């Protein structure tokens, strides 16, 4: 096997087979949805397992770009392996993010650093598909809503970005699965809070959604609902609030304030991401409005899920001038938004749905095309 610093760049046999399987899986999904072909549950799960395994194999052999987060993660794993557990727990850059710090150390201990993207991709997409299939089984959803969601997810959330930003997307997948499990599937129990806290200690940005989850509790939501539109203005005072937190003479409070300030100081961003996120957020706002107007039964049935979605959207509107936070929050909706897609397809007329899809298909196809061109020109393997 090539080292992580001196990789070969040719597509080897196993990555070629994996790529072909991914393409075949996409084709099968499209044909099955469009022709209304019923696939047995065991066959569907087997096909999905092969799809996730293929993505993990591609992730394992992918050689990161020089500026990718994944390049930094490989260097960090090298340091963890050289310096040991004590250094990892006290000196590592992620020492305060307990879960991801230990996760990285366990992989560093194996010495096979490419397990990091491979295992992470497996976890992310296993949680994603688990939530999709559980929603589909509970609500007997249209295959079009599932296909549409997956097309939007993979077109607007580039696989390359997921592969590089492992910490973000692991946290998103964990938290979104917990939200769907608790609010849409209505499964209670301590596992939900284990997932919430695990996600938050994987990436601190999920503290934003943890706060929203607390505001959606039965005791608090009645008060929050009265003042919900005030939440749009939170972005105007959050910078000052973060600054004040750094002045509090308590270590943990100062760390929280410093981490919040990062979102205001970081102003380098990919313009493609900005355009994509605005377009996606506008799409989801429109879908939410349609469901709220035409599918009151769905709102009543999944009341707490839509309360969470509503508060999230109001706060995301307030973060529109904080590019890094806006980008991450909208990306999170791509993991937690499937029930919204389901209810949108259930309430819209066929003619309106086709009009909506015809407006969305060109930008979606364009984004998918960008990924294919980038992959053809720049993707390299170990």
């Amino acid at each position: 096997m090539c080292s992580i610093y001196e990789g070969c760049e040719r597509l080897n046999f196993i990555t070629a087979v994996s790529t072909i399987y991914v393409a075949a899986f996409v084709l099968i999904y499209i044909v099955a949805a469009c022709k209304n072909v019923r696939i047995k549950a065991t066959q569907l799960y087997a096909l999905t397992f092969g799809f996730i395994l293929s993505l993990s194999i591609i992730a394992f052999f992918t050689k990161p770009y020089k500026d990718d987060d994944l390049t930094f993660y490989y260097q960090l794993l090298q340091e963890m392996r050289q310096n040991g557990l004590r250094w990892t727990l006290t000196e590592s850059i992620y020492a305060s993010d307990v879960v991801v710090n230990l996760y990285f150390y366990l992989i560093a201990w194996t010495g096979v650093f490419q397990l990091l993207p491979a295992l992470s991709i497996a976890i992310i997409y296993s949680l994603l598909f688990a939530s999709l299939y559980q929603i589909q089984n509970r609500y007997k959803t249209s295959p079009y809503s599932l296909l549409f969601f997956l097309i939007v997810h993979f077109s607007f959330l580039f696989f390359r970005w997921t592969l590089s930003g492992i910490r973000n997307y692991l946290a998103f997948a964990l938290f979104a699965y917990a939200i769907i499990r608790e609010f849409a599937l209505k499964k209670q129990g301590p596992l939900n809070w284990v997932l919430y806290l695990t996600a938050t200690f994987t990436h601190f940005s999920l503290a934003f959604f943890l706060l929203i989850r607390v505001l959606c509790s039965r005791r608090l939501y009645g008060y929050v609902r009265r003042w919900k539109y005030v939440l749009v203005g939170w972005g105007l005072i959050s910078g000052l609030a973060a600054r004040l937190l750094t002045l509090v003479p308590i270590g943990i409070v100062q760390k929280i304030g410093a981490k919040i300030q990062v979102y205001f100081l970081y102003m380098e961003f990919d313009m493609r991401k900005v355009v994509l996120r605005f377009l996606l957020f506008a799409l989801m706002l429109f879908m939410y409005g349609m469901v709220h107007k035409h599918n009151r039964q769905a709102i009543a049935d999944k009341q707490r899920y839509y309360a969470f979605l509503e508060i999230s959207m109001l706060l995301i509107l307030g973060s529109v001038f904080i590019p890094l936070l806006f980008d991450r929050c909208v990306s999170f909706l791509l993991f937690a938004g499937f029930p919204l897609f389901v209810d949108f397809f259930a309430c819209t007329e066929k003619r309106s749905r086709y009009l909506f899809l015809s407006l969305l298909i060109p930008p979606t196809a364009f984004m998918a095309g960008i990924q294919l061109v980038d992959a053809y020109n720049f993707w390299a393997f170990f």
Side-chain angles (χ1 to χ4, degrees):
M1 184 183 298
C2 308
S3 81
I4 63 171
Y5 300 109
E6 301 177 359
C8 352
E9 298 191 359
R10 294 190 303 177
L11 192 70
N12 59 34
F13 176 76
I14 191 169
T15 50
V17 170
S18 299
T19 304
I20 292 170
Y21 186 93
V22 168
F25 178 84
V26 172
L27 182 61
I28 291 170
Y29 238 90
I30 292 174
V31 171
C34 294
K35 297 294 185 180
N36 201 22
V37 177
R38 289 190 173 274
I39 303 176
K40 292 181 179 179
T42 52
Q43 294 173 335
L44 182 61
Y45 297 154
L47 285 169
T48 305
F49 173 79
F51 176 70
I52 295 171
L53 179 61
S54 297
L55 290 180
S56 297
I57 291 170
I58 292 171
F60 184 89
F61 287 102
T62 293
K63 184 178 182 181
Y65 300 151
K66 182 180 179 181
D67 297 328
D68 275 357
D69 288 347
L70 187 56
T71 300
F72 166 73
Y73 292 152
Y74 281 156
Q75 294 169 351
L76 178 62
L77 293 178
Q78 187 71 44
E79 292 179 359
M80 287 179 169
R81 183 168 174 79
Q82 290 176 349
N83 297 320
L85 180 59
R86 179 173 294 181
W87 180 91
T88 299
L89 295 177
T90 58
E91 302 295 330
S92 167
I93 190 173
Y94 296 134
S96 58
D97 295 322
V98 180
V99 174
V100 79
N101 200 40
L102 290 174
Y103 174 61
F104 276 33
Y105 176 77
L106 288 173
I107 291 173
W109 178 77
T110 68
V112 185
F113 298 165
Q114 287 122 303
L115 284 175
L116 178 63
L119 287 176
S120 300
I121 288 295
I123 294 169
I124 290 167
Y125 289 116
S126 294
L127 289 170
L128 175 65
F129 277 96
S131 64
L132 300 186
Y133 291 156
Q134 287 174 33
I135 288 289
Q136 191 176 40
N137 291 335
R138 180 181 176 90
Y139 294 100
K140 309 304 178 186
T141 63
S142 162
Y144 293 107
S145 60
L146 178 59
L147 176 64
F148 179 49
F149 178 80
L150 288 173
I151 289 174
V152 170
H153 179 94
F154 283 100
S155 296
F156 282 78
L157 198 62
F158 291 8
F159 178 67
R160 188 83 204 197
W161 293 345
T162 306
L163 185 59
S164 177
I166 287 169
R167 278 201 319 136
N168 295 348
Y169 297 109
L170 266 176
F172 294 162
L174 286 163
F175 203 97
Y177 181 75
I179 283 293
I180 289 174
R181 187 178 188 276
E182 182 179 16
F183 288 166
L185 298 172
K186 300 177 183 178
K187 295 181 179 180
Q188 305 301 316
L191 177 60
N192 296 327
W193 280 99
V194 170
L195 292 169
Y196 290 141
L197 294 175
T198 301
T200 304
F201 285 105
T202 298
H203 199 288
F204 181 74
S205 64
L206 269 295
F208 183 84
F209 288 103
L210 185 63
L211 173 62
I212 297 173
R213 166 60 188 85
V214 172
L215 293 177
C216 288
S217 62
R218 289 188 172 90
R219 292 184 179 180
L220 293 178
Y221 183 67
Y223 300 101
V224 173
R225 189 175 182 180
R226 299 173 191 173
W227 302 94
K228 60 185 179 182
Y229 294 110
V230 177
L231 298 174
V232 177
W234 82 276
L236 300 176
I237 63 170
S238 52
L240 176 62
R243 174 61 180 161
L244 292 175
L245 287 175
T246 61
L247 301 177
V248 175
I250 301 174
I252 185 65
V253 176
Q254 290 179 341
K255 285 183 179 180
I256 291 172
K259 289 197 173 189
I260 294 174
Q261 279 190 313
V262 169
Y263 293 98
F264 295 89
L265 299 175
Y266 185 90
M267 297 304 293
E268 296 181 9
F269 46 85
D270 187 339
M271 185 54 66
R272 291 185 304 178
K273 277 192 176 184
V274 174
V275 174
L276 278 172
R277 296 304 180 255
F278 273 107
L279 181 60
L280 178 62
F281 189 55
L283 159 72
M284 299 193 76
L285 280 175
F286 172 78
M287 294 174 69
Y288 176 80
M290 291 292 289
V291 172
H292 201 272
K293 182 178 180 180
H294 298 292
N295 197 349
R296 302 297 296 178
Q297 180 60 42
I299 298 288
D301 187 46
K302 295 187 277 290
Q303 186 176 9
R304 296 185 72 195
Y305 171 80
Y306 279 103
F308 177 85
L309 199 62
E310 182 181 43
I311 293 177
S312 297
M313 287 180 166
L314 290 171
L315 287 170
I316 291 171
L317 274 175
S319 69
V320 72
F321 297 111
I322 312 171
L324 182 59
L325 184 60
F326 181 79
D327 168 64
R328 288 178 176 172
C329 289
V330 177
S331 297
F332 170 77
L333 293 181
L334 275 174
F335 285 90
F338 182 54
L340 174 63
F341 282 69
V342 168
D343 294 332
F344 171 76
F345 269 79
C347 76
T348 51
E349 297 179 358
K350 186 175 291 187
R351 184 180 299 176
S352 301
R353 193 184 307 159
Y354 285 156
L355 175 62
F356 178 72
L357 290 177
S358 66
L359 293 173
L360 184 68
I361 285 173
T364 303
F366 177 70
M367 292 305 115
I370 287 177
Q371 292 192 74
L372 292 174
V373 171
D374 282 354
Y376 180 79
N377 289 327
F378 304 112
W379 207 297
F381 294 93
F382 290 122

